[in-house]
Each structure stands twice: as C-alpha cells, then as structure tokens.
Amino acid sequence: MDLYMMNCELLATCSALGYLEGDTYHKEPDCLESVKDLIRYLRHEDETRDVRQQLGAAQILQSDLLPILTQHRQDKPLFDAVIRLMVNLTQPALLCFGSVPKEPSFRHHFLQVLTYLQAYKEAFASEKTFGVLSETLYELLQLGWEERQEEDNLLIERILLLVRNILHVPADLDQQKSIDDDASVHDQLLWAVHLSGLDDLLLFLASSPAEQQWSLHVLEIISLMFREQNPEQLARAGQGHLAQERSREVVELEVLRQREMAEKKTRALQRGNRHSRFGGSYVVQGLKSIGERDLIFHKGLQKLQNYTSDLGKQPRRVLKRRQAAQDLSVQRRSALNVRLFLRDFCSEFLENCYNRLMGSVKDHLLREKAQQHDETYYMWALAFFMAFNRAASFRPGLVSETLSVRTFHFIEQNLTNYYEMMLTDRKEAASWARRMHLALKAYQELLATVNEMDMSPEEAVRESSRIIKNNIFYVMEYRELFLALFRKFDERWQPRSYLRDLVETTHLFLKMLERFCRSRGNLMVQNKRKKRKKKKKAPDQAAAAGHAPSSPGELEATWPALAEQLQCCVQNSELSVDPVVPFDAASEVPVEEQRADAMVRIQDCLLAGQARQALTLLRSAREVWPEGDVFGSPDISPEEEIQLLKEILYAPLPRQPGGEEHGPEEEEGEEEVEEEEELQEVQVSEKEFNFMDYLKRFACCTVVRAYVLLLRSYQQNSAYTNHCAVKMLHRLAHDLKMEALLFQLSIFCLFNRLLSDPAAEAYKELVTFAKYIVGKFFALAAVNQKAFVELLFWKNTAVVREMTEGYGSLDSGTSSRRAPVWSPEEEAQLQELYLAHKDVEGEDVVEAILARLKSVPRTRKQVIHHLVRLGLADSIKDFQRKKGTRIVLWTEDQELELRRLFEEFQDSDDILGHIMKNITAKRSRARVVDKLLALGLVAERRELYKKRRKKPAPSGLPDGGTSPKDLSQEDLEEEEEENLPEEESDRDEETGEDWGGGQIQGSSVSLAESLGRGLRQEGFSAPILWLQSCLSRAADDREEDGCSQAVPLVPLTEENEEAIESEQFQRLLRKLGIRPPASGQETFWRIPAKLSPTQLRRAAASLSQLEEEEEKLQPERTHASPGERAPVEEQQREPQAEALEALMVARKQKAGLAAPEEDETDEEKEHLPVAPTKRHLLDSDEEEEGAPEVGAPRSLHKKKRFQIEDEDEDD
C-alpha cells in the first residue's frame, strides 16, 4: 500500500473532523467520534506503523488537532480525546518500533516516522499551544484531592506525557546546521514553555509534597529541557567573558595561528608548478625499499619529507562491529535569552525543589514504583544540578539530599551493574554503555563536589567532606572501581567522551586520595580476600573431629549431669514432634551402612552435653534401623533408654580420622590437584593503606592503552583532559620507575606526531613528557640492544623489570614467585625420565622423576604442569594421588607370594591378618581379599574371617560358660580387629560358625538340635525333612562327581517357602553352614562348595537324630507326671540348656523377679522352668526387661538378639 495515498476510511474520518477557515477552525458534528475512530485505527496499525505515517503525511496534527486544541478548549470531551490522540501520535519512534531496526525497509519506516515527529515539534513551538496546556494544567492543580476526579488525574498525566513527547523529539542536525547563540527549534520550544508559564507549574509540581506521584514525569521533562546544555556554561550565562575563558580562547587562537603560519611556510618552500617533466629520480640512502636496495624516490625533493611507506596503499577496511563508538550527545550554546531563562530556572529549582524531588524519586526507585531504567534520569539530574551549583555559587546545603555515602553506594552499584550487563547483553551493549556513562558522570560530580567542600571556608562543611572521604576511601569497592572500569573499557561500545570522563574522574580520585593520605599520616582501609575451603562431605565430620572420646574418669564425672537431663527429656512427650534425620541422604554410602555414623553422632551429642539431641537422635535411628534392636526395641522403657545411652557414651566406637590427622596432606595440597569441590569465602579485614602500592595496580598495559588512545586526539582534547592523561603516565613512569612500560611503538609514533606539530608550544606538558620518555629509552637501548625489539609489544611489570635489570633476573630473585624456566636440556631429561617410568607398576611416576632430576629443585605441581604443556600427558588429573594404597596391578611374583602365604597360614585362626603382616607389597585388606577371591584360593569372604577360640571357663558359670557381658566385649574387640572392607550382611558377621573347619563342633551340633527342636514344636517338621534330604543329595552328588559347587536350596512348596522366610529357620541354616543369598545378585540360600560330603552327612544326621529323639520322648512325656518329667528332661538336656537356665536366673535377679542366689534352695532351682527353645527365650518378657543388662552396646554391625547365640557357641 502506498503510504502517501491515504486509506479511504482514514480519509473519510479525517474529513469528518472539520475545516480551517482563515484562523478559525470549524468542527463537524461528528468531530468527537472521528477523533475516537483515529485512536482506534492507531491501536490496530501494523508493524510498519502505516496509520501513523499516513496521518503524518496528511499533517493532521498541524492542520486539525492543534486548532481544535486551542479554539475548542471548552468542549471537555473533545479536548480530552484530542489530547489522547496527540499523545499517541507524538510518542517516540523508539517506542513504536522497540529499537532502531536493522532491516533496510523497516529502518526506512523508522526514519519516516522520525521525520513526522520533527515536524510536530516545530508545529508545537507556539506560545498559544503551550498557553492552553498550562492553563488547563493550572486549573486541574487548583482542585483539591477531595474534588479531583480520576478523569482529572488522567488528563494531568496526559498533558505531562504530551510535553515529554514533544521535548523528546531529537533535532535534525542536517537541516538546522545552526551555530552557537542561534535559536534552534528546541530553543523556540523552550521559550514558548517559558512564555506560557508552564515552567512555573513544573516547579510547583516538583516542590509540592501533595503532588509526589508526578515526580518522575517532572524530572524527565526537566532532563529533556536541559538536554543540549552545559551546566558550567549555563551558570556563567550573562556574566560576560571571564579571565579564564579569555585566556583559553587566546591559546586556541594562537594554536590556529601557528598552524596556519606553518602551512604558509611549507607552501613557500615548494617549487612552482612549472617544472621539467623530467625532474629526475633520487636515491634515499638509509631507507630500504621492498628489497635490499635503497629506496628510489621519483618525485620532487620538497615532497620527500611527507613520504611514508603507506603511500598508495588501500586503507584497511574496519568491520562495522569493530568500529569505534560515536558520540551521540550534542552540546551547543543556545540563544542568550534562553540561557538566562534556563539559568534562573536552575537556581529556583535548586533552592526550592531539588532536595525534595530527588528524595521522592529515590524513594520511587527503591520501592520499584518507577519504570525500567528510570534511574538514568535521577543520575542525570544529580550530575547536572550539582555541577551547576558548584559552578554558580557553591552552596552544599542546596544538594544535601544527594551528598551522602548512600548516594555513592547507589551510583556505584548501578555503575557496576551496567558494565556487567554490557559484557553479557551484547545486543544492547551500546545502550548499557550510555547508561554507564551517565552513572560515571554522576560519580564524577559527587567526587568534584566533595573536593570543592574541602576548600570551603566553613569548618562544618570541611568536616562533612572529611567524613564522606573517610567512608569512601575505607571501602574496597570504591577503590577498585576505576581499575575495573579501565580493564573493561571497550571502544566498540564506549565512545571517547566516556574515556575522557573516566580519565578525569580517576585523576580527581587519585588526587583526593593522595592528599587525604598525606594529611592522615596512616590510613586504615578495608581489605577483602577470598579464601578457598573444601566443602564438607558430611555435616557431622566437624563434630566427629571435635569431640574425641574422653577418659573413663571424665565420663564418670560427666554422666550424672547427663542422666538428670535425660530424665527430664524422657518425660517430655513433645520430643518426638521434631525428629532428626539420623543419616546423610546425599552421601554415597548406603543408608543401611550409616548406622555406625549415627551411633557416633549420638556419642558426640552426649560428649557435648546435648542430652535432648542425643535422645532425639536415638529415637530417630530406632525408626530407621529397627532390625536387631541396635538402638533399642520399639517398646523400650525410659529407664532402658537412659541405660542404653550410658552404654553408648562409654563404648569405644570406631571413628573416622579427624582434621588433625590431615596436617601433612594439607601441606602437600599446594602440589596436588584437589578433587573435592571448593567454596569461596570472603574474609574482611583491615590493613594500613599504602598509596604507592595502590598506584602499582594501574601499572598494566590495559590502563596504558586506554590513556594512549585518549592522547591520540590531543588536539581535540581540552587542556585539562591532556593534563589528566599525562599526569597518570607520569605517575607510572617517574613515581613508580617504570618508564619501560611506555616503550611501545604506537606511543613513540604519537610522540613523533606531537614533536613535529607546528603548534607544539601549546602542549608544553606533553612535549616535556615525550622528551623524557624518549631520552630514557635511548639510555636503556645503549645497555640493552633488545629494547628496539621490545618496542613492538605491550609489556607488563615483569617484562619491564627484565628489560631494566637484565633478562633472567626474575628467575634468580628470591622474592619472585615465578617458577624457574625449563631449559631445553631439562625438558629432554624430563621427557626421558617420564618415558622410562610411566609404565613401571607400583611406582609413582612423578615421585620417580623428582628423585632423579639433577637440575633446579622442582615441585610436584611444576613437573605435572610441564608434562601436560609438553604434550606427554593429556591432563593433570592423570597424576592424582590415590587415597590408600597407590599400587593397582599385581605382578606375577606378588601373586606367587600371595599363594605361598595363603598356603602357609590357611590353617591358622586369622588367615588375613597373618597375610597382611608378612606380605611384601603393602596393600589394603580389601585389595588382598579381592585378589584371593580372583585367584580362587577362597570361595567367599567368610572364609577369611577371624575364627573364634574357646575361652577358659570362668569360675562363676558352669561348663565353661561365658558371661554375656564378657561375651559382648569380646565380640566388640574381635569385630574391631577384623574390620573387613566389605561385609556381606550383619547376619553373616554374627554367625561365627564354620562347618568347613574339619569336624562339626559339639556346641554347633547341640545348638542346631536345639533350634531344630523349637522349629518342630512350631510346625516346621516337613521343612526340616526337606532340608535333610537336600543335604543328603548334595553329599551324594559331590561324591559321584568328585567336584563341588554351591547348590541352591529351591523351596518348591509353599510350606518350605514360608520356612525359608522364617527367622528361626534361617538361624538354623546359618548354624548348619548354609550361606544366605548375596544382596542384589542371588535369590536362594546355597550349600557352600567348601562343605565336604562327610560334613554334609553329619549335618543331615544331626537333624535325623533330633527326629528320633523326639519320637522316643513323646510317649514318655504323655505318661509321665510333671514331677517325673523333670529328671527325664534334665538327663536329656544338653549342656547348652544348662547355660540358658543360668542366664535366665541371672536376668530374673536383675529384673527383681527372682530372689537372691544365696537364698535359693536346690529344690527351688529344680522347679525353675527351662525354656525349651531359644525362640521362647527371646520372646519372653524377662528377656526384654533384662536386655539392656545383657551386654554393652556391641559393634554397630552386630545385633543384640544374637548375643545369646554367641554365648552358646563358647560352651
């Protein structure tokens, strides 16, 4: 669609608005509806903004809307609708398109809309138009809050938005081309605002506490009014030329005169145009051409001085994305009457509105009541009006709202955020750079105002300045800000004006800091350091390391206080409301294997005096691990809980090594590559500030490059800007003695251009500095011939030191942390040693290299990094030290040695312990066990468990029985000694019986018979017969085949399957030597391959003998009286039953259920009931009440229920 040919509907709508006859506008009856239709059309325009362009091309705003606005103000509905339509038509082009389009077609539409907006701005430059707007706004503001309606507030906002939109339209520089002191369109608009009295209304809105909702609108309008103004020039408006300005203008004129005279002199020395066509050719000695010969020059001698090697070359095309950013801000000097009006406006604004308005805007920003990026208007107003106040008549009270440390912090935070966003959001990097420039200007003005306060005659003002400077210089972020800005400077996004302000702000900050340090003598500042610490693998390691088990005497002294606390806690029913998780869900260790850690945590809580936490942890652990009643039974009494906690407190529990044992490893940590995750912790401290040390932070090529880039345009820079740049370079070169930092070819080219400038006398400071640096370079070149080559490169401080003190000085210096350089001979030796030792088994290749290096002492880290740098290794992770043993592979000799040791000690009680003591290559127990299994020397890990020996019978128990207390302590000691790395299950550990040890022990037979008798009484006779037949068949098969392998017990009937799942039946299987299924790999119980046919037949015979005895005893039990059955039972009773009887008597005595032993008669002992099976014993009430007294808390891998069985084994 052709945009210049209006749509028929739009044309009809515009025609229905009315017509202009002379200076009078006649509206049509449907004028209001037509205006609403135009608003509707604008709402539904396409992405090219076709409706907006057609209305702009038809000049609807100039010919219809403005006359309606000025002549039909009394028609309130029409006036409101016209204001709405004008706000929509004048909104900025950036808001219409979102951003400047990159596609050519859309960019054309963007520029077309911008052209129409500039035409609207010119049409609005009328006193009559702004007079109507100001009168309407005045009437609305006269209404009180109780009288003002919602429509009135909307109209106020729309009028302010309309003024904002008109002022926001950028000027067309190509068409205006106006010089200073000439009235531009923007000046005409400002003058119309002044004549209409709208500026007074803006001041009222800014100063009235009741109109705070319009604060951001007012601040935005004011910022657009002063967009092209310079605050310092505006403050001096109407004062005539000052002496400083006159001297500056004289210097500028002198520079122009000298350049003009130099050009005239050059032209005078040139020959005339009429000369011989054959003027000759010249050989320039000392200047080489492309080859080895001297250059031949074919032009006149007068042109020789302008010769360069770049003549005739095509300039290198710079990519658009690499081109330097252009300055978009334009500053010009307006007409005098406009400047005087703006100066008076600034003065009134500072005296009456600044502090209140800036406080209100800051509150809106902090409470997030403003729109995105509205803080830029705040920072512009801060920089502009504080500069105006400083240049006019400095009065700190007028800007006290923004003169605080909080304002410094606010600006610093936004400045940091802007440059971080500039680095991350590359698409909008230019916009972030402009916002960053605004924040930098605000920060610069804050520093300039504080510096001006130092020179105030009032003592209170100087004291306030000192307090602000003390806070600023103390905080590390303010000192590091300029270093970060220089290092992140990118000329692709940040223009020269930004670099100029950065250099000037840095100069001011360094000058203030240096003067402050001199006045204070010594200055303490904040210092932040990031400390790396290893992430804890488990939250309880600190507790485990911090609470070492105390001596028995200390524990005895600690327990009474703990007992009182526990007695109070067990009566508190609210203890279980907030349980504690007794395991680490994020740990790689399975939850089933974390019982030991939970027990250690309970002991640590008791040692720390935290009784409530210990009790809570005990109850939580009981819910997580109920099997075996390791943490007590579910219906345990409070007294038993306290007794159990006492036993836990006294128990010697195995602990992981604490933090003290890792001291040597931490010392070697600098050379090792850490696998563990590291966290960074910021440590804040104080230190004495040294200005020279701070200045050394600027001695880097990034900062120097930025300063040199600014000095390249020294002719366009102001004298103050050149002074700031030269002063910093002088600090680096002279104060820090780092002249070599400036020995760079591009800097010398700049010096050459400066010294050959005809107006060089105007830049005396630059010329003096250039001569100083060049003189230092030639003095160094006389000593170091390589200085000419060093000109090609930018240098850091280390290279500067080598240039001045000699190459290799860093290697010999003791204060330098730099690693010594590897010579070619050392690299060859390193490669030879690595290739010779990398395949040696059982040897650390890095340690072998370190032991054989004959050069400068090296660390492990240096050797590893150089191996990677040479390409001999892929990564530094290849050389990580393994925890535990470092030997992985077994040699043939080591395997033979292991076989020999196993054959030598296979009949001993502790096979694995003897092998570990006598093996040559020290390895972990887990590796030895794995190798024994791999070689087939043992079929399962159970064979390597330490065998239990019979203990001599104490005098207090018959038949050599062992007390439960002694038995539990022995189990604890044996289990601590065994400590195998991988254990199949808890029940495997509890069964110390081994049916493959030659003959079946008598105690094992009797115990199996006792278990079998109990199972028959419970109705498991058929499963016992099935088990007996399985053992017999396995024995027959092994005799026939001559070889043995594990045979699974597959229950084919439901009765056998229920028996296999019974805990009592499983206990019988273990006593017979039958192996339980491996977790996750097997399903059925298996007859081990190690059991011989003889052993299997003995086991089956024990079950058949049990059946025969039951059949013989059955008739006698039915006919005998109760009194007669007791002697029969005593005769048939095995020694195991007597031990059980004695154990029952002891438990009843402790529980108070039986009389003391000395009061009992033999007759009473004869009538004591004897438990026929262990199942009855374990289910009895007496066992539950006496359980805590049976034994101390055993090893955490054991179960209390099996303490009786262990006792039976020792009989």
Side-chain angles (χ1 to χ4, degrees):
M1 180 183 66
D2 189 0
L3 298 177
Y4 297 101
M5 298 297 293
M6 288 190 66
N7 184 278
C8 58
E9 295 181 0
L10 277 178
L11 182 59
T13 305
C14 294
S15 301
L17 290 173
Y19 61 93
L20 185 63
E21 186 178 3
D23 294 336
T24 305
Y25 188 85
H26 302 276
K27 65 174 183 177
E28 296 290 345
D30 298 332
C31 182
L32 178 59
E33 298 300 327
S34 300
V35 173
K36 292 181 179 180
D37 288 340
L38 291 176
I39 295 173
R40 192 177 302 110
Y41 290 147
L42 285 172
R43 190 181 301 133
H44 298 288
E45 63 183 350
D46 61 8
E47 57 186 6
T48 62
R49 309 304 176 200
D50 55 341
V51 177
R52 193 177 306 272
Q53 293 189 55
Q54 293 181 40
L55 295 178
Q59 297 184 356
I60 296 298
L61 186 139
Q62 296 93 320
S63 59
D64 294 282
L65 298 182
L66 283 178
I68 294 175
L69 182 72
T70 56
Q71 298 181 21
H72 297 277
R73 176 172 166 262
Q74 295 78 14
D75 191 350
K76 193 173 184 308
L78 179 61
F79 184 84
D80 293 349
V82 169
I83 290 292
R84 285 179 58 195
L85 179 58
M86 294 175 71
V87 169
N88 197 338
L89 279 176
T90 58
Q91 70 178 357
L94 285 174
L95 291 180
C96 296
F97 290 88
S99 61
V100 180
K102 296 182 179 180
E103 189 178 349
S105 60
F106 280 94
R107 191 176 183 86
H108 169 73
H109 298 313
F110 175 83
L111 295 176
Q112 195 67 36
V113 171
L114 190 59
T115 303
Y116 295 140
L117 289 175
Q118 292 169 351
Y120 296 159
K121 183 175 183 178
E122 189 174 355
F124 261 92
S126 170
E127 178 186 353
K128 189 176 182 180
T129 303
F130 277 101
V132 172
L133 294 176
S134 62
E135 288 178 9
T136 307
L137 185 60
Y138 176 76
E139 293 175 358
L140 294 173
L141 293 177
Q142 289 296 317
L143 299 175
W145 282 102
E146 64 279 359
E147 301 175 1
R148 194 180 299 178
Q149 303 296 324
E150 185 64 28
E151 294 80 6
D152 299 332
N153 286 330
L154 287 175
L155 186 56
I156 293 174
E157 185 176 9
R158 286 169 183 158
I159 291 175
L160 294 177
L161 287 176
L162 179 61
V163 175
R164 190 279 311 267
N165 291 346
I166 295 300
L167 290 172
H168 187 274
V169 177
D172 189 358
L173 301 179
D174 295 334
Q175 291 184 1
Q176 291 185 7
K177 296 181 180 179
S178 58
I179 61 174
D180 287 345
D181 297 328
D182 190 14
S184 62
V185 176
H186 194 73
D187 293 340
Q188 297 173 17
L189 200 67
L190 293 178
W191 190 247
V193 169
H194 174 58
L195 294 179
S196 65
L198 187 60
D199 55 338
D200 296 329
L201 293 177
L202 293 175
L203 291 173
F204 169 74
L205 289 173
S207 60
S208 174
E211 307 294 343
Q212 289 189 4
Q213 57 178 330
W214 317 116
S215 298
L216 283 168
H217 292 288
V218 173
L219 186 61
E220 190 174 359
I221 291 173
I222 293 174
S223 67
L224 293 172
M225 289 172 59
F226 293 90
R227 181 168 54 184
E228 298 178 352
Q229 305 298 324
N230 187 313
E232 297 178 354
Q233 292 181 358
L234 203 61
R236 294 191 296 265
Q239 298 179 5
H241 285 290
L242 300 179
Q244 185 179 3
E245 288 187 3
R246 286 196 297 269
S247 62
R248 189 181 70 251
E249 292 177 356
V250 168
V251 171
E252 292 177 357
L253 289 175
E254 182 63 24
V255 169
L256 294 175
R257 190 184 69 83
Q258 290 178 359
R259 287 177 180 165
E260 183 180 2
M261 291 179 61
E263 291 178 1
K264 288 181 179 181
K265 185 177 180 180
T266 303
R267 286 196 299 268
L269 293 176
Q270 291 181 355
R271 294 183 180 179
N273 292 332
R274 298 185 62 184
H275 65 280
S276 173
R277 188 177 298 273
F278 304 99
S281 298
Y282 305 91
V283 176
V284 184
Q285 294 182 356
L287 184 61
K288 299 295 183 182
S289 61
I290 298 177
E292 294 296 328
R293 299 181 180 180
D294 292 335
L295 176 68
I296 300 176
F297 191 68
H298 296 280
K299 296 183 179 181
L301 291 177
Q302 70 278 6
K303 297 182 180 181
L304 181 61
Q305 60 181 358
N306 296 328
Y307 172 79
T308 64
S309 300
D310 296 331
L311 289 176
K313 293 181 180 179
Q314 290 292 335
R316 187 176 182 180
R317 181 175 175 270
V318 181
L319 297 177
K320 187 176 182 180
R321 65 174 181 270
R322 297 185 180 274
Q323 292 179 359
Q326 301 296 324
D327 290 329
L328 299 179
S329 60
V330 178
Q331 288 189 354
R332 60 178 299 275
R333 193 164 57 199
S334 302
L336 180 60
N337 57 346
V338 177
R339 282 187 286 146
L340 293 176
F341 147 64
L342 294 177
R343 185 198 64 183
D344 297 339
F345 182 89
C346 286
S347 300
E348 294 183 19
F349 182 80
L350 280 172
E351 291 181 1
N352 304 316
C353 311
Y354 179 83
N355 288 330
R356 197 212 64 80
L357 181 65
M358 297 298 281
S360 176
V361 171
K362 182 73 172 296
D363 182 70
H364 281 67
L365 294 174
L366 295 179
R367 296 178 182 272
E368 297 183 355
K369 295 181 180 180
Q371 295 181 357
Q372 193 177 14
H373 307 313
D374 275 352
E375 71 275 0
T376 55
Y377 297 108
Y378 176 84
M379 290 184 287
W380 174 90
L382 185 149
F384 187 89
F385 289 105
M386 291 185 77
F388 181 88
N389 178 55
R390 186 170 48 85
S393 57
F394 181 64
R395 296 165 59 186
L398 299 181
V399 292
S400 59
E401 174 63 32
T402 55
L403 198 59
S404 62
V405 179
R406 290 180 300 174
T407 308
F408 273 97
H409 176 71
F410 179 78
I411 301 299
E412 189 268 338
Q413 289 292 316
N414 281 278
L415 188 58
T416 306
N417 178 54
Y418 290 154
Y419 86 73
E420 289 178 353
M421 292 302 299
M422 187 188 69
L423 297 177
T424 55
D425 189 6
R426 287 297 184 181
K427 292 184 178 180
E428 298 295 331
S431 300
W432 291 111
R434 287 193 294 270
R435 299 185 188 106
M436 188 175 172
H437 192 184
L438 275 175
L440 180 62
K441 288 288 293 182
Y443 198 86
Q444 178 185 12
E445 195 50 49
L446 283 172
L447 289 175
T449 303
V450 173
N451 186 50
E452 192 75 20
M453 292 170 64
D454 277 345
M455 296 176 282
S456 174
E458 301 179 12
E459 178 62 27
V461 175
R462 294 198 301 271
E463 181 64 18
S464 300
S465 171
R466 189 192 64 79
I467 293 173
I468 293 176
K469 289 192 298 182
N470 198 8
N471 283 276
I472 294 171
F473 298 148
Y474 176 80
V475 179
M476 181 179 178
E477 283 76 11
Y478 297 124
R479 302 193 308 271
E480 301 292 328
L481 177 63
F482 299 102
L483 283 166
L485 294 180
F486 271 114
R487 289 169 180 168
K488 301 300 181 182
F489 173 74
D490 192 345
E491 59 177 336
R492 296 176 300 172
W493 313 114
Q494 296 164 322
R496 294 289 178 86
S497 58
Y498 167 83
L499 182 58
R500 181 189 66 242
D501 291 332
L502 178 58
V503 168
E504 293 178 359
T505 309
T506 306
H507 171 77
L508 178 60
F509 183 82
L510 289 176
K511 185 173 68 173
M512 294 171 61
L513 181 58
E514 184 178 17
R515 188 167 62 242
F516 190 75
C517 292
R518 289 177 180 175
S519 63
R520 290 288 299 270
N522 61 338
L523 175 64
M524 299 301 295
V525 296
Q526 184 188 68
N527 182 40
K528 293 183 179 180
R529 185 170 60 90
K530 290 184 178 180
K531 179 184 177 182
R532 292 184 176 182
K533 62 177 184 178
K534 297 179 182 178
K535 184 178 180 181
K536 296 181 180 179
K537 292 184 178 180
D540 304 318
Q541 284 185 355
H547 301 291
S550 306
S551 62
E554 296 177 355
L555 295 178
E556 290 288 348
T558 306
W559 174 247
L562 288 174
E564 294 180 4
Q565 298 180 25
L566 290 172
Q567 192 66 32
C568 298
C569 292
V570 294
Q571 299 175 0
N572 187 5
S573 59
E574 299 179 357
L575 184 62
S576 59
V577 175
D578 188 16
V580 179
V581 179
F583 59 89
D584 184 8
S587 175
E588 297 179 358
V589 181
V591 177
E592 294 78 7
E593 300 179 12
Q594 295 189 34
R595 290 190 300 178
D597 297 335
M599 190 72 77
V600 172
R601 288 178 60 185
I602 296 174
Q603 190 182 63
D604 289 334
C605 292
L606 293 173
L607 291 173
Q610 301 173 353
R612 181 184 179 89
Q613 288 83 344
L615 185 58
T616 306
L617 192 58
L618 177 68
R619 294 178 177 179
S620 301
R622 185 186 307 144
E623 296 178 1
V624 176
W625 298 288
E627 60 274 1
D629 296 341
V630 177
F631 298 96
S633 60
D635 53 350
I636 188 172
S637 63
E639 293 76 10
E640 293 174 347
E641 268 188 333
I642 297 177
Q643 184 64 25
L644 181 58
L645 288 172
K646 180 179 180 181
E647 294 172 357
I648 293 175
L649 177 65
Y650 283 87
L653 301 178
R655 291 173 174 267
Q656 296 293 332
E660 298 178 358
E661 299 181 11
H662 292 289
E665 295 181 6
E666 292 179 358
E667 295 177 0
E668 298 177 1
E670 298 178 356
E671 301 178 8
E672 294 182 3
V673 180
E674 299 290 347
E675 275 188 312
E676 300 179 4
E677 182 181 356
E678 293 182 348
L679 300 177
Q680 285 189 346
E681 180 184 8
V682 179
Q683 289 187 341
V684 181
S685 59
E686 286 188 349
K687 69 173 184 179
E688 186 174 355
F689 181 75
N690 189 317
F691 180 76
M692 298 305 295
D693 291 342
Y694 175 70
L695 191 61
K696 290 177 183 178
R697 305 283 303 279
F698 290 89
C700 60
C701 58
T702 309
V703 177
V704 175
R705 261 202 298 258
Y707 276 89
V708 173
L709 180 63
L710 181 63
L711 281 179
R712 287 177 184 171
S713 57
Y714 70 93
Q715 296 177 349
Q716 290 78 31
N717 296 340
S718 63
Y720 179 71
T721 303
N722 289 333
H723 166 72
C724 294
V726 174
K727 180 63 177 177
M728 172 56 83
L729 297 179
H730 182 265
R731 288 179 186 272
L732 300 179
H734 182 268
D735 297 350
L736 298 180
K737 307 299 181 184
M738 291 187 181
E739 301 89 352
L741 198 63
L742 303 179
F743 293 167
Q744 216 279 335
L745 198 57
S746 60
I747 300 179
F748 279 23
C749 291
L750 173 62
F751 289 165
N752 182 46
R753 183 161 63 93
L754 173 65
L755 295 175
S756 60
D757 192 342
E761 295 182 2
Y763 311 103
K764 293 182 180 179
E765 191 176 18
L766 279 173
V767 171
T768 304
F769 180 73
K771 292 180 179 179
Y772 170 76
I773 295 297
V774 173
K776 288 291 184 179
F777 171 75
F778 285 108
L780 178 63
V783 180
N784 183 7
Q785 294 295 328
K786 296 180 181 179
F788 294 99
V789 182
E790 295 283 4
L791 283 175
L792 302 174
F793 309 99
W794 293 98
K795 290 162 281 294
N796 54 23
T797 54
V799 178
V800 168
R801 180 180 172 185
E802 284 192 332
M803 286 181 61
T804 54
E805 299 181 8
Y807 295 98
S809 58
L810 292 179
D811 300 337
S812 59
T814 57
S815 62
S816 176
R817 297 182 180 179
R818 187 176 179 181
V821 181
W822 290 79
S823 63
E825 294 79 8
E826 292 174 339
E827 290 183 349
Q829 184 186 10
L830 177 65
Q831 184 174 2
E832 181 182 354
L833 291 174
Y834 176 75
L835 295 177
H837 294 275
K838 69 175 183 176
D839 296 327
V840 177
E841 297 178 357
E843 185 180 27
D844 189 348
V845 60
V846 180
E847 295 294 341
I849 292 174
L850 289 173
R852 292 167 176 81
L853 275 178
K854 301 179 181 179
S855 57
V856 183
R858 307 279 180 177
T859 63
R860 179 183 179 89
K861 187 175 181 180
Q862 293 171 0
V863 172
I864 292 174
H865 280 279
H866 204 67
L867 287 172
V868 176
R869 192 177 296 113
L870 293 176
L872 297 175
D874 296 332
S875 173
I876 56 179
K877 294 182 179 180
D878 298 342
F879 302 99
Q880 291 179 2
R881 289 178 174 173
K882 302 293 188 291
K883 294 184 178 180
T885 178
R886 299 173 185 169
I887 304 175
V888 178
L889 301 178
W890 289 75
T891 62
E892 186 177 354
D893 296 337
Q894 293 169 352
E895 291 181 357
L896 293 175
E897 181 189 16
L898 184 62
R899 288 179 182 272
R900 179 181 58 79
L901 291 174
F902 177 77
E903 293 173 358
E904 181 180 351
F905 298 109
Q906 64 178 346
D907 297 330
S908 63
D909 295 335
D910 188 6
I911 303 174
L912 186 60
H914 288 88
I915 292 176
M916 295 300 298
K917 290 178 182 179
N918 294 276
I919 195 169
T920 304
K922 297 302 180 182
R923 301 173 185 270
S924 65
R925 300 173 71 93
R927 297 292 175 264
V928 175
V929 171
D930 292 341
K931 194 62 180 177
L932 290 172
L933 291 171
L935 294 175
L937 299 177
V938 293
E940 53 187 1
R941 299 176 187 273
R942 184 194 303 272
E943 300 179 24
L944 299 175
Y945 290 170
K946 185 177 179 181
K947 298 179 178 62
R948 307 179 193 273
R949 298 180 180 178
K950 285 187 176 181
K951 304 284 193 330
S955 58
L957 291 177
D959 300 332
T962 309
S963 68
K965 205 166 193 176
D966 297 339
L967 191 67
S968 62
Q969 185 65 25
E970 293 165 7
D971 295 341
L972 179 64
E973 293 175 358
E974 288 187 10
E975 203 164 292
E976 287 180 356
E977 291 176 1
E978 291 176 9
N979 192 21
L980 287 177
E982 295 181 12
E983 300 175 0
E984 297 175 2
S985 64
D986 295 330
R987 295 178 180 178
D988 293 345
E989 293 179 16
E990 294 152 6
T991 59
E993 291 296 328
D994 188 358
W995 284 73
Q999 295 180 352
I1000 301 176
Q1001 303 292 333
S1003 61
S1004 300
V1005 174
S1006 60
L1007 187 57
E1009 293 176 357
S1010 176
L1011 291 173
R1013 186 179 299 109
L1015 288 172
R1016 289 184 183 277
Q1017 291 179 2
E1018 294 185 6
F1020 289 112
S1021 299
I1024 290 178
L1025 293 175
W1026 166 73
L1027 176 60
Q1028 179 183 356
S1029 63
C1030 290
L1031 294 174
S1032 301
R1033 285 199 306 268
D1036 296 339
D1037 294 341
R1038 293 184 180 182
E1039 282 186 349
E1040 294 176 2
D1041 299 339
C1043 60
S1044 61
Q1045 59 182 359
V1047 179
L1049 296 178
V1050 182
L1052 300 178
T1053 63
E1054 185 176 354
E1055 186 178 8
N1056 294 343
E1057 187 175 355
E1058 291 178 358
I1060 285 290
E1061 295 176 356
S1062 171
E1063 184 178 354
Q1064 196 75 6
F1065 197 84
Q1066 291 178 4
R1067 192 172 302 159
L1068 175 63
L1069 294 177
R1070 285 194 182 89
K1071 293 306 173 184
L1072 295 175
I1074 300 175
R1075 179 169 58 84
S1079 58
Q1081 298 178 359
E1082 298 175 353
T1083 306
F1084 304 109
W1085 289 68
R1086 279 172 166 73
I1087 302 174
K1090 64 180 182 179
L1091 294 181
S1092 63
T1094 305
Q1095 294 171 342
L1096 291 176
R1097 285 194 176 91
R1098 287 178 181 176
S1102 66
L1103 296 177
S1104 62
Q1105 182 181 1
L1106 178 63
E1107 184 180 359
E1108 293 173 359
E1109 291 177 359
E1110 289 289 334
E1111 292 176 355
K1112 293 178 181 179
L1113 292 176
Q1114 188 65 26
E1116 298 178 5
R1117 290 174 183 171
T1118 54
H1119 298 290
S1121 63
E1124 297 174 352
R1125 283 201 297 266
V1128 176
E1129 289 179 356
E1130 289 179 3
Q1131 294 174 3
Q1132 299 294 333
R1133 190 164 50 191
E1134 298 292 333
Q1136 175 64 27
E1138 296 177 1
L1140 294 177
E1141 180 180 348
L1143 181 62
M1144 283 291 299
V1145 173
R1147 286 178 177 170
K1148 284 189 176 184
Q1149 289 176 357
K1150 290 181 181 180
L1153 301 176
E1157 186 177 354
E1158 59 271 16
D1159 296 336
E1160 287 191 30
T1161 62
D1162 296 337
E1163 297 179 357
E1164 291 174 343
K1165 290 183 182 180
E1166 293 177 357
H1167 293 286
L1168 281 175
V1170 179
T1173 63
K1174 286 190 178 182
R1175 182 179 182 87
H1176 292 171
L1177 177 63
L1178 293 173
D1179 292 340
S1180 64
D1181 295 335
E1182 291 83 2
E1183 196 275 342
E1184 292 178 357
E1185 293 176 359
E1189 300 293 336
V1190 175
R1194 308 171 58 189
S1195 175
L1196 298 180
H1197 298 287
K1198 292 218 173 226
K1199 298 182 179 179
K1200 288 188 174 183
R1201 182 171 294 184
F1202 298 106
Q1203 291 174 355
I1204 302 173
E1205 298 175 11
D1206 296 335
E1207 184 182 348
D1208 295 342
E1209 296 168 15
D1210 292 332
D1211 281 347

